[in-house]
Amino acid sequence: MRIIVADNYEAMSKIAADNIQEVITEKNDAILGLATGSTPIGTYEELIKRYEEGKIDFSKIRTINLDEYIGLHPNHNQSYRYFMNEKLFNHININKENTYVPNGSAENIDEEAKNYDKIIENLGGIDIQILGIGNNGHIAFNEPDKALNVGTHVTSLAQNTIEANSRFFESLDDVPKKAVTMGIGQILKAKKILLLANGKNKAEAIKGILSGKITTDNPATMLQLHSDVTLIIDKEISDEIINCN
Ligand code: PGA
């Protein structure tokens, strides 16, 4: 595992964009696995800037997102499809038909989940997967549990995830309680994985990834099974980890 300590959020975002740009430079029709949440917003801003400067061409790029809330229409302003359009796709020369986010308002959501794995397979696999991490170690919506799923599936959000995500909704009650998410096995199939984390509330979860132990209580610890993971953390996290040891 490669661990990079960035001075701050801006530096973390630039390093993440460098890693993504490198993949696109090598393969102009790369499959990017994308994430939502606050963490990758700076990375997307950096990618938009590089597109505007003529450094990155997204015309042949395909993207596949990790997850989506169940019950939110793609046009809902808190859906992850809406987030991706607003934060990235509307500002670059990507063909939206080549961007995939699960449809959380699909009539048959189990079928939607099954089809999603087929889409990934048909695309030929993910070249680089961007990940954030929850305070509880979740990646995508794979929450701590007795067992973790391999493929894309329907899941319930952990209470602390509902609370953390309520900052984007008017009230706790408005936060969807279920989601469709790629499974851990699907994430581990990506050729490269880039996990970004900033802020000391993520330190405990990150410690797990560096522990040499795997536990379903911290789903991100599974990343230790992958041979090409880059962890980009900020100084706040590294200081917190060092101070605790
Ligand atoms: P955040 O969420 O980027 O908004 O902190 C990360 C996550 O829950 O995976």
Side-chain angles (χ1 to χ4, degrees):
M1 187 171 303
R2 216 155 53 105
I3 302 156
I4 301 173
V5 179
D7 280 344
N8 50 38
Y9 180 77
E10 200 190 353
M12 178 190 82
S13 303
K14 281 193 177 146
I15 297 165
D18 289 345
N19 279 264
I20 298 166
Q21 185 174 354
E22 200 177 300
V23 169
I24 297 176
T25 305
E26 263 172 40
K27 188 177 173 189
N28 67 356
D29 62 346
I31 318 288
L32 310 181
L34 300 180
T36 52
S38 307
T39 309
I41 291 176
T43 305
Y44 297 152
E45 284 170 357
E46 190 61 33
L47 291 175
I48 293 166
K49 187 164 153 257
R50 294 179 193 195
Y51 159 70
E52 286 168 350
E53 291 166 355
K55 292 178 183 154
I56 307 182
D57 173 14
F58 288 92
S59 60
K60 296 203 172 85
I61 292 297
R62 279 87 46 86
T63 69
I64 184 124
N65 264 75
L66 287 168
D67 47 16
E68 178 62 283
Y69 289 121
I70 289 180
L72 297 193
H73 188 271
N75 291 335
H76 188 286
N77 67 6
Q78 289 307 327
S79 79
Y80 288 166
R81 159 54 74 182
Y82 187 91
F83 175 102
M84 289 312 303
N85 288 347
E86 287 288 308
K87 302 291 181 201
L88 182 64
F89 301 149
N90 287 347
H91 311 283
I92 57 175
N93 66 334
I94 198 160
N95 177 352
K96 284 223 187 93
E97 284 180 11
N98 292 334
T99 68
Y100 299 89
V101 181
N103 180 359
S105 59
E107 226 165 86
N108 186 337
I109 200 75
D110 290 312
E111 202 57 35
E112 174 74 12
K114 243 190 257 163
N115 284 340
Y116 208 64
D117 282 337
K118 280 195 206 128
I119 292 171
I120 302 170
E121 210 175 293
N122 291 341
L123 286 171
I126 296 166
D127 290 297
I128 183 165
Q129 176 66 57
I130 317 306
L131 294 176
I133 185 170
N135 300 346
N136 63 359
H138 75 204
I139 46 177
F141 276 125
N142 294 279
E143 302 281 17
D145 207 339
K146 278 204 196 93
L148 300 174
N149 284 75
V150 173
T152 303
H153 60 285
V154 171
T155 190
S156 298
L157 273 57
Q159 188 55 31
N160 48 9
T161 300
I162 294 170
E163 282 160 20
N165 292 5
S166 67
R167 68 191 194 274
F168 300 113
F169 293 85
E170 273 183 24
S171 75
L172 202 61
D173 285 346
D174 290 333
V175 186
K177 309 295 180 289
K178 286 187 167 235
V180 55
T181 181
M182 264 190 220
I184 292 287
Q186 197 60 266
I187 291 169
L188 289 176
K189 277 192 205 159
K191 288 170 199 139
K192 273 178 190 290
I193 294 178
L194 201 60
L195 186 140
L196 316 179
N198 65 293
K200 65 176 178 219
N201 56 345
K202 303 282 173 79
E204 207 47 45
I206 295 294
K207 253 163 81 180
I209 307 181
L210 305 172
S211 67
K213 292 199 177 121
I214 288 167
T215 167
T216 60
D217 290 337
N218 177 349
T221 59
M222 300 290 159
L223 296 175
Q224 293 169 102
L225 296 172
H226 195 281
S227 62
D228 192 347
V229 175
T230 303
L231 203 60
I232 312 176
I233 57 175
D234 70 350
K235 248 183 123 299
E236 255 189 53
I237 295 181
S238 74
D239 287 351
E240 187 77 8
I241 292 173
I242 291 162
N243 289 338
C244 290
N245 283 331

